[in-house]
Amino acid sequence: MSDHVYKKIQLVGSSATGTDDAIRNAIARAGETISHMGWFEVVETRGHIENGRVSHWQVTIDIGFRLKD
């Protein structure tokens, strides 16, 4: 196994459906421009309330990816 260097970025995904979709949306969008993504970590979860109900989710995640060798 060779030694690798990793970088971590922070993104906020959003969804009207739920937290899982918010995470998936952020990862899918990041995947359009970032290669070698290997893991994510949920940092924060927020929601927007309208008329006493959750109307929108925001999830802050850290994504780790390996830099090109």
Side-chain angles (χ1 to χ4, degrees):
M1 176 183 226
S2 59
D3 296 327
H4 298 292
V5 174
Y6 297 86
K7 181 172 178 71
K8 187 168 71 168
I9 60 170
Q10 192 167 81
L11 300 173
V12 178
S14 62
S15 171
T17 306
T19 57
D20 286 355
D21 280 343
I23 293 167
R24 286 184 177 92
N25 290 341
I27 291 171
R29 179 61 181 90
E32 293 177 13
T33 58
I34 298 171
S35 301
H36 309 295
M37 291 188 296
W39 53 269
F40 74 92
E41 175 184 2
V42 174
V43 177
E44 182 178 40
T45 304
R46 291 184 298 278
H48 181 72
I49 301 170
E50 287 184 11
N51 300 320
R53 296 181 182 211
V54 176
S55 65
H56 211 85
W57 295 91
Q58 288 185 332
V59 180
T60 303
I61 61 173
D62 288 342
I63 293 179
F65 61 96
R66 183 173 43 92
L67 298 179
K68 291 181 182 179
D69 294 330

